Amino acid sequence: MAVASTEPDYAELHALSNFTFLRGASHPRELIEQAHRLGYRALALTDECSVAGIVRAHIVAKEVGLHLIAGTELQLDDGIRLVLLAPERAAYAELCLLITAARRSASKGAYTINRAAVERGSAHCFALWLPDPEDATADDAIASWFRAAFPERGWIAVELCHNGADAQRLRRLRACGARHGLPLLAAGDVHMHERARQPLADVVAAIRLHTTVAQLGWHASVNAERHLRPRQRLARIYPPDLLAETVAVATRCRFTLDELRYVYPREVVPTGRAPAEHLRSLTEAGARRRWPSGVSAKVRAQIEHELALIAELNYEAYFLTVHDIVEFARGRGILCQGRGSAANSAVCFCLGITEVDPVRMELLFERFISRERNEPPDIDIDFEHERREEILQYLYRKYGRDRAALVATVITYR
């Protein structure tokens, strides 16, 4: 075991937030801020079969200047536990596809995934194998498969949490890595940002297992070590080479959510037409319908101003997508109404998305879309609740179930 007392560089590559429901006991923000305070070089948010917390983590990581790595923890059907990390944009796409396929293959709240699916779907990912903490009988068989599945991009994660067998565990995994040519690195199996969260971790574990804290027994954590530990303390627990390897891996993970851009469906634009051209055509037709006696100079100026800004920010396809949905609803006699800041838009009024004339009411378009805010517009539409299912099924038919999804709303209790 290591005995150094200095503060080595370290990157935590296995951390769960409370988006791993009823396992993680800290918010993404808390994890990022604590990792920054402790001087970590990076933190990988690896919620179980999910990237739901990564956006919140990304925002905070940019605020404090911490290197954030996107990843996920997966338990395969045969019990093998892995952490997959996204070093590049292609790997992040693979993570999302794997998570989606795993969730769609099981009932709500569960997932299922096997070795073959991981091998096929993670060609660009880095992988950490999380060996069984107690049972070493399958180590060699799993290590052999793991090395073949992740050549030059697989590591054995050594997670030492003071359970009484850390020295033995390190020797076991050192030997396994040597036999199979697999590098080792340190990881914390982090479930909370600080040890004071352990009582909450026990509460959520009890909820998950449908029991009481007093009845958790062996299911309760033996200690509060699954938190972000000071680097000086990590230096007393892990050998220097295992700590250094975490930074080497983190340095190779360069993907950031800033690389992502909205990609809108092509189906809303007729063949041979550009989105800007089609949006202008629909807007002009709508303007003639809204103002049958003629479009005033004031209205014309507003329309041109909006179309120019929409084109500058490349939002045409978004307006066309929303227009397509509204047209379907109106064609079926389904009551619908755009609301919120979209009512400030003359283009939305022309497209039939909203029913308030923003020019006559002198509403401010920049409340809806602003160059300075540099964020996509948000058009909220209410559909009569008895017929919402028709809208959902239309979207599934038009775009396919592999390209359309419901957004989950996470409810928190305070």
Side-chain angles (χ1 to χ4, degrees):
M1 298 294 288
V3 295
S5 60
T6 58
E7 292 192 350
D9 280 343
Y10 178 68
E12 180 54 66
L13 300 179
H14 183 203
L16 308 180
S17 76
N18 54 4
F19 280 87
T20 300
F21 300 130
L22 300 183
R23 280 184 66 200
S26 293
H27 293 276
R29 171 176 286 276
E30 293 171 321
L31 291 167
I32 296 296
E33 291 178 340
Q34 180 73 345
H36 176 65
R37 280 192 292 269
L38 293 173
Y40 284 20
R41 287 283 295 275
L43 181 135
L45 192 65
T46 57
D47 283 310
E48 186 175 5
C49 199
S50 173
V51 288
I54 198 69
V55 173
R56 297 187 186 194
H58 171 71
I59 292 170
V60 182
K62 289 184 70 174
E63 290 175 0
V64 302
L66 182 74
H67 178 193
L68 173 68
I69 301 168
T72 191
E73 175 192 303
L74 296 171
Q75 179 162 321
L76 309 191
D77 294 350
D78 56 5
I80 296 174
R81 293 176 63 231
L82 303 175
V83 166
L84 298 182
L85 304 176
E88 57 184 275
R89 171 69 179 82
Y92 184 72
E94 290 172 347
L95 283 186
C96 294
L97 288 169
L98 281 171
I99 290 167
T100 300
R103 291 291 183 184
R104 289 183 64 191
S105 298
S107 58
K108 183 177 179 180
Y111 69 95
T112 179
I113 189 168
N114 57 33
R115 294 194 199 187
V118 170
E119 289 180 49
R120 287 193 307 269
S122 58
H124 297 86
C125 295
F126 289 171
L128 314 182
W129 168 38
L130 309 174
D132 189 298
E134 308 295 338
D135 185 7
T137 56
D139 279 2
D140 285 320
I142 295 173
S144 179
W145 166 78
F146 182 72
R147 186 174 186 276
F150 299 96
E152 307 301 324
R153 52 194 176 89
W155 290 261
I156 299 175
V158 181
E159 300 188 322
L160 306 178
C161 296
H162 286 320
N163 67 350
D166 283 357
Q168 177 184 351
R169 179 175 174 79
L170 178 58
R171 287 194 299 271
R172 163 197 158 192
L173 297 182
R174 283 274 202 205
C176 182
R179 288 194 301 271
H180 295 276
L182 286 168
L184 277 64
L185 54 74
D189 192 17
V190 170
H191 284 55
M192 50 199 167
H193 71 293
E194 60 182 9
R195 65 168 54 250
R197 280 292 165 85
Q198 186 58 50
L200 177 60
D202 289 338
V203 169
V204 297
I207 296 171
R208 184 179 75 248
L209 298 169
H210 305 287
T211 186
T212 64
V213 173
Q215 295 297 318
L216 272 175
W218 291 106
H219 294 292
S221 296
V222 297
N223 55 39
E225 287 298 299
R226 286 180 169 82
H227 68 281
L228 294 172
R229 294 174 284 188
R231 289 179 295 138
Q232 186 175 12
R233 195 143 168 273
L234 291 171
R236 295 196 295 269
I237 298 170
Y238 290 98
D241 60 313
L242 269 64
L243 296 172
E245 190 67 12
T246 67
V247 178
V249 172
T251 301
R252 295 172 62 187
C253 294
R254 295 181 292 273
F255 169 73
T256 167
L257 290 192
D258 286 335
E259 297 176 38
L260 301 181
R261 294 292 182 271
Y262 280 84
V263 180
Y264 295 104
R266 295 189 179 93
E267 290 86 344
V268 296
V269 182
T271 303
R273 300 190 83 173
E277 179 187 4
H278 189 46
L279 179 61
R280 174 171 286 279
S281 175
L282 292 174
T283 301
E284 295 292 350
R288 290 191 294 270
R289 186 174 62 253
R290 291 296 193 185
W291 296 281
S293 57
V295 177
S296 69
K298 185 178 182 181
V299 169
R300 171 56 58 191
Q302 181 64 31
I303 290 174
E304 293 301 329
H305 168 66
E306 292 188 19
L307 288 175
L309 187 54
I310 290 168
E312 178 185 335
L313 300 175
N314 296 313
Y315 293 153
E316 296 99 332
Y318 176 63
F319 283 81
L320 293 172
T321 303
V322 175
H323 171 263
D324 178 68
I325 298 169
V326 169
E327 282 294 290
F328 169 79
R330 296 261 164 78
R332 292 294 185 92
I334 301 172
L335 297 176
C336 64
Q337 178 67 66
R339 59 178 171 84
S341 60
N344 294 36
S345 167
V347 169
C348 284
F349 184 55
C350 291
L351 295 176
I353 295 171
T354 57
E355 292 299 323
V356 175
D357 180 350
V359 181
R360 184 170 64 86
M361 301 299 292
E362 298 187 348
L363 300 178
L364 180 64
F365 175 68
E366 278 68 19
R367 182 172 171 267
F368 175 49
I369 297 179
S370 169
R371 183 185 296 104
E372 288 71 23
R373 279 204 310 272
N374 191 30
E375 60 186 31
D378 182 17
I379 301 177
D380 296 315
I381 303 173
D382 291 323
F383 297 95
E384 55 176 306
H385 69 275
E386 294 93 343
R387 303 187 66 184
R388 283 181 193 160
E389 187 62 29
E390 294 178 53
I391 304 295
L392 298 179
Q393 294 306 318
Y394 168 69
L395 293 173
Y396 284 132
R397 286 195 307 272
K398 187 175 182 74
Y399 302 114
R401 289 186 174 269
D402 59 335
R403 295 176 57 206
L406 290 171
V407 176
T409 300
V410 179
I411 299 172
T412 60
Y413 298 90
R414 299 171 185 267

